[in-house]
Amino acid sequence: MAKETFEFQAETKQLLDLMVHSIYTNHEIFLRELISNASDAIDKLHYESLTNRDLLEGDTGFEIHITPDADAHTLTISDNGLGMNRDDLIQNLGTIAKSGTKAFLEKLKEAQEANSEVTDKDMIGQFGVGFYSAFMVADSVTVVTRKAGESQAYKWESTGDGQYTLDECEKPKHGTSIILHLGSDFYGNDKEENYTDRDKISGLVKQYSDYIRYPITMDYTVKEKPKDADGKVIEDAPEEEHVETRTLNSMQPLWTRNKSDIKPEEYKEFFQHQFFEWEDPMEIFHTKAEGAVEYTALLFIPGRAPFNLYYTDYEAGLQLYSRHVFIMDKCKDLLPDYLRFVKGLVDSPDLSLNISRELLQQSRELKLIGRNLEKNILKTLARDLDKDREKYEKFWAEYGKSLKIGIYSGMMTGENNVDKLKDLLLFMSSKDGKLCTLKEYVGRMKEGQQKIYFATGKDRAAIDAMPQMELLRDRDLEVLYMLDPVDEFAVQAIGEYEGKKFHSVSQGDLDLDDDEYKEEKKKAEDLAKDNEGLLKDIKDYLGDKVADVRLSNRLKSGAVCLVADAAGPSIAMEQAFAVADNPLLKARRILEINPHHDLFNRLQTLHEGGKDSQGFQDYCQLLYDQALLLEGILPDDPAAFAQKVAQMMAR
Ligand code: ADP
């Protein structure tokens, strides 16, 4: 078969372009990326060989071998892993299948368009672009590979300019060799980044790839005097040259080492490399357990939440190992979904190596490990909240939403997360604009206060401007701001805290406990009786838009407001559902009018002129539209609204 030429897929081209033009200055990471790919390929063969030993073709050991060639200006990374056939090459090296890399490109474009401070460097670190990073240091790359169990080998070549070629070739051993034809900046003793220098290579392996489970080897030419039959050096003989293969990495997985021997940088390096992260972790859990089940876990909370944490394409889960051998990536059955942001791995001799995902789900050991880890994580978070508030608030800013979702989704899945999580919640308080726990709120409640007041809105200013807030402010009652639609769901799931019920200021009766309020309420009720006809006519005019029209005793200086009936969702919740395309959940809206406002007198006068008069109807409509605006909702007909206001202003 003749050599064939292929075009890279458009996205691959884009990525290659970035690599070739070396936007990323930390070139050296290409080595760890290629070693990591080699190690993955060996993992795959190892796994498949468990059920088909023939695939090993008599191999007795796995190995990643590095060959620098100063004369040819090449660096070769070879492995005896699974290798690739023709289809694999086209699929894996010609296209970008990984959603992560696609997302990387999109993010990069966005960042560039927005001229954002997020640098390309940060982003490459975050996504780990793998194989293509070879083009940062190589003018051209040759891949020679043969898939284990197949006889035909292939040669893939590219200069990273948009095309690659494929050809058949000979390769006695299965596995893959990646040959980098180094660019002129990357070889020669006078170069800082000389990737044919053995010391440089071995240093990089130690730094980035020490814990890779397979030996990473390199040949050294050693000049030595020969030894005699007893192993004694023959002093007067001339030196002889021979080749010695040395293993560069210790191969000891980081998590198996003693905690006290591990430097913070080692954890950090491991975290970033193993999980394609670019920031430091904000929390590290390294635990060994013996007892009912034996395991070691190394878990991290990433410094920043991934942008897709709440999207369906985000894959949560921990890596699983058994006796240091990799079993599975992204095992979801260990941690509850609300801890989906936790990254890390679990290594347990109690887990069987070739267990299927289905069986794993039922594994008693796994459940036990998962429960322990969950407890551990929650305990650490509670400790942070108690001892290091600043750190906890940083955590909260990134992952608070997960915990809140956990609380209400637990209701649906039947796990009770409320008790586990309610004390970890933070809400912004009207008292000082700072975050507080429910315990703190309840602890400083005013004497006689029976409820935990909260208000929903899009931001603090919008809530402060709500007419209903005035009354609470006057009485110095603290209100929790619910700025995220999930807040309200969480609060509903909790129901009450230490016997105190949650009460929305924009729903139902405010129901304050003091005498003044009760008196006001009575007055409003009397007044409502006197104005029964007026209220009914407003309601009739507005029709289905509102469930009721009432006189308010929650307003001080505001003229109107819209509240939701106590039974049923709030208006904010209704809006959240509308966004989620679920208009089924509708709040029962109640229009409240302030009887002490001058506007009310005017309304009465207009009403006396007849309920069908234009003036009265305009007022009704405008009142309702205003109330909508106060809730951050546009009037149904904004143009008509503007026109009516304009007319009234001109009068
Ligand atoms: P990934 O993050 O998936 O490793 P890469 O761009 O680094 O992305 O590699 C793309 C794919 O090419 C890999 O998923 C793998 O299937 C294949 N590949 C890369 N290097 C090797 C190798 N040394 N042996 C076998 N397959 C490889």
Side-chain angles (χ1 to χ4, degrees):
M1 199 181 70
K3 185 151 131 180
E4 292 175 274
T5 303
F6 296 83
E7 287 278 317
F8 282 113
Q9 170 211 38
E11 278 153 329
T12 317
K13 271 190 204 168
Q14 235 176 313
L15 189 58
L16 275 168
D17 216 43
L18 285 171
M19 294 301 133
V20 172
H21 297 110
S22 279
I23 46 160
Y24 187 37
T25 45
N26 193 16
H27 304 127
E28 65 195 26
I29 58 122
F30 82 91
L31 187 62
R32 73 150 197 230
E33 297 290 314
L34 297 182
I35 289 175
S36 165
N37 279 349
S39 165
D40 288 348
I42 296 176
D43 275 341
K44 284 181 201 156
L45 179 57
H46 174 88
Y47 188 75
E48 290 199 11
S49 70
L50 293 175
T51 47
N52 182 3
R53 283 204 70 77
D54 293 346
L55 286 177
L56 295 179
E57 299 174 11
D59 265 354
T60 51
F62 290 116
E63 180 182 356
I64 299 165
H65 190 72
I66 304 184
T67 316
D69 187 332
D71 299 327
H73 311 151
T74 59
L75 178 66
T76 303
I77 293 107
S78 302
D79 64 68
N80 55 350
L82 186 63
M84 287 178 273
N85 59 25
R86 187 174 179 278
D87 287 347
D88 293 336
L89 278 167
I90 294 173
Q91 187 54 41
N92 298 336
L93 301 187
T95 58
I96 299 177
K98 259 190 320 179
S99 59
T101 312
K102 277 191 189 147
F104 162 75
L105 287 169
E106 274 156 29
K107 274 264 142 184
L108 188 67
K109 216 168 113 206
E110 266 172 42
Q112 282 170 344
E113 275 166 13
N115 235 337
S116 133
E117 281 178 23
V118 183
T119 61
D120 305 337
K121 168 173 175 283
D122 291 338
M123 304 203 26
I124 293 189
Q126 182 185 12
F127 289 95
V129 289
F131 172 75
Y132 304 101
S133 62
F135 287 94
M136 292 198 294
V137 297
D139 285 345
S140 73
V141 176
T142 306
V143 179
V144 176
T145 181
R146 180 166 71 75
K147 194 159 185 168
E150 299 182 17
S151 54
Q152 184 60 58
Y154 295 90
K155 185 194 236 178
W156 178 103
E157 268 180 313
S158 178
T159 52
D161 61 351
Q163 292 182 327
Y164 62 93
T165 60
L166 269 187
D167 204 357
E168 292 178 346
C169 68
E170 296 286 318
K171 188 174 188 303
K173 278 193 83 64
H174 62 87
T176 304
S177 288
I178 314 264
I179 303 148
L180 310 182
H181 305 274
L182 295 166
S184 55
D185 287 341
F186 303 109
Y187 61 82
N189 286 333
D190 55 330
K191 300 285 168 25
E192 203 176 309
E193 293 186 69
N194 176 6
Y195 294 115
T196 57
D197 178 39
R198 284 184 160 68
D199 287 344
K200 172 101 187 161
I201 300 285
S202 72
L204 289 177
V205 170
K206 264 257 158 271
Q207 184 182 351
Y208 290 114
S209 313
D210 189 58
Y211 48 82
I212 291 283
R213 292 178 291 285
Y214 308 105
I216 302 168
T217 57
M218 192 157 62
D219 290 345
Y220 286 78
T221 308
V222 187
K223 274 194 196 159
E224 269 176 350
K225 296 191 172 178
K227 292 175 184 153
D228 63 17
D230 301 330
K232 267 186 70 183
V233 174
I234 309 170
E235 288 300 343
D236 48 3
E239 285 190 329
E240 287 175 8
E241 263 187 16
H242 69 268
V243 174
E244 196 177 283
T245 303
R246 292 183 195 158
T247 299
L248 308 177
N249 56 331
S250 75
M251 285 181 280
Q252 188 179 19
L254 184 80
W255 64 90
T256 63
R257 286 166 48 193
N258 250 336
K259 244 162 113 164
S260 51
D261 297 338
I262 305 175
K263 295 192 210 80
E265 307 86 70
E266 289 182 282
Y267 276 125
K268 185 182 136 190
E269 178 63 43
F270 178 82
F271 167 67
Q272 294 181 332
H273 182 215
Q274 188 91 353
F275 303 105
F276 306 118
E277 289 285 338
W278 85 113
E279 281 199 29
D280 296 358
M282 66 163 86
E283 194 69 72
I284 301 171
F285 312 83
H286 189 180
T287 45
K288 281 192 201 336
E290 277 154 21
V293 278
E294 195 183 323
Y295 67 87
T296 301
L298 178 53
L299 309 183
F300 301 88
I301 298 181
R304 212 182 286 187
F307 65 93
N308 62 346
L309 185 59
Y310 303 107
Y311 293 94
T312 43
D313 70 340
Y314 177 80
E315 267 200 277
L318 304 177
Q319 295 180 342
L320 280 190
Y321 292 78
S322 178
R323 298 183 195 283
H324 322 333
V325 177
F326 177 81
I327 313 180
M328 185 189 292
D329 201 14
K330 311 270 185 201
C331 174
K332 287 194 191 59
D333 307 310
L334 274 157
L335 292 178
D337 192 56
Y338 70 81
L339 293 176
R340 51 177 29 226
F341 51 85
V342 175
K343 302 220 163 164
L345 57 89
V346 172
D347 187 352
S348 168
D350 297 329
L351 295 174
S352 152
L353 250 188
N354 42 2
I355 188 168
S356 73
R357 265 181 199 267
E358 289 68 37
L359 281 178
L360 201 62
Q361 264 171 10
Q362 297 154 16
S363 151
R364 195 184 63 83
E365 287 78 14
L366 204 72
K367 287 212 175 77
L368 211 59
I369 297 174
R371 266 203 300 277
N372 284 348
L373 294 177
E374 179 186 10
K375 248 189 252 155
N376 239 318
I377 295 169
L378 293 182
K379 213 163 76 194
T380 307
L381 291 177
R383 192 200 59 211
D384 283 347
L385 175 60
D386 194 33
K387 299 259 165 8
D388 190 347
R389 185 67 171 245
E390 201 180 320
K391 181 172 173 191
Y392 187 79
E393 290 194 5
K394 212 178 142 247
F395 161 81
W396 183 255
E398 295 295 327
Y399 306 108
K401 197 186 182 95
S402 273
L403 302 195
K404 291 185 284 196
I405 294 175
I407 284 198
Y408 82 78
S409 63
M411 260 195 334
M412 291 181 263
T413 55
E415 357 156 28
N416 183 5
N417 292 333
V418 172
D419 289 337
K420 287 185 217 162
L421 299 179
K422 65 181 181 205
D423 282 314
L424 290 172
L425 300 184
L426 292 181
F427 296 102
M428 196 197 269
S429 155
S430 65
K431 183 171 171 287
D432 47 13
K434 292 193 180 131
L435 293 169
C436 77
T437 63
L438 294 175
K439 197 173 224 54
E440 285 161 353
Y441 180 99
V442 170
R444 62 192 184 209
M445 266 164 91
K446 289 187 66 169
E447 219 179 286
Q449 185 183 339
Q450 294 303 328
K451 302 192 187 81
I452 301 173
Y453 295 104
F454 70 90
T456 44
K458 72 173 177 7
D459 56 34
R460 212 179 138 188
I463 291 177
D464 283 340
M466 276 163 61
Q468 301 90 300
M469 287 292 284
E470 223 176 325
L471 215 64
L472 287 114
R473 232 182 342 254
D474 263 16
R475 285 169 167 73
D476 199 23
L477 287 169
E478 185 174 358
V479 179
L480 297 177
Y481 296 116
M482 310 267 147
L483 304 178
D484 185 330
V486 306
D487 289 348
E488 212 181 336
F489 291 92
V491 159
Q492 283 218 341
I494 302 175
E496 57 178 58
Y497 184 86
E498 291 186 357
K500 312 286 184 203
K501 286 204 162 56
F502 289 93
H503 194 98
S504 164
V505 307
S506 41
Q507 207 168 354
D509 195 321
L510 248 193
D511 228 3
L512 300 183
D513 305 308
D514 56 285
D515 293 342
E516 192 191 337
Y517 180 84
K518 287 179 184 145
E519 218 170 280
E520 284 289 326
K521 190 173 166 184
K522 172 88 181 52
K523 265 198 237 162
E525 279 164 7
D526 291 345
L527 212 61
K529 272 196 207 111
D530 299 343
N531 289 283
E532 222 173 331
L534 169 64
L535 295 176
K536 182 179 175 300
D537 287 340
I538 301 174
K539 160 80 185 92
D540 285 347
Y541 176 74
L542 291 174
D544 291 347
K545 295 192 183 95
V546 292
D548 201 2
V549 178
R550 291 182 195 156
L551 290 185
S552 181
N553 55 333
R554 81 182 76 220
L555 291 173
K556 271 202 65 169
S557 58
V560 277
C561 71
L562 211 53
V563 300
D565 196 24
S570 71
I571 293 172
M573 227 160 163
E574 167 200 292
Q575 295 292 306
F577 269 93
V579 171
D581 249 358
N582 185 350
L584 285 176
L585 205 67
K586 271 232 169 283
R588 271 171 55 84
R589 296 174 178 189
I590 297 164
L591 182 70
E592 288 198 357
I593 304 173
N594 183 355
H596 308 299
H597 198 283
D598 289 345
L599 197 138
F600 186 64
N601 298 335
R602 180 92 184 108
L603 202 57
Q604 284 173 317
T605 315
L606 284 167
H607 186 239
E608 279 157 19
K611 67 176 172 127
D612 298 322
S613 72
Q614 189 65 43
F616 176 69
Q617 292 187 347
D618 282 354
Y619 259 66
C620 291
Q621 183 64 47
L622 279 177
L623 277 178
Y624 176 69
D625 287 347
Q626 270 184 51
L628 278 181
L629 280 171
L630 283 166
E631 284 297 315
I633 306 170
L634 270 187
D636 300 333
D637 185 350
F641 172 77
Q643 205 176 11
K644 283 202 173 74
V645 172
Q647 275 166 4
M648 231 163 258
M649 286 167 84
R651 239 177 252 160

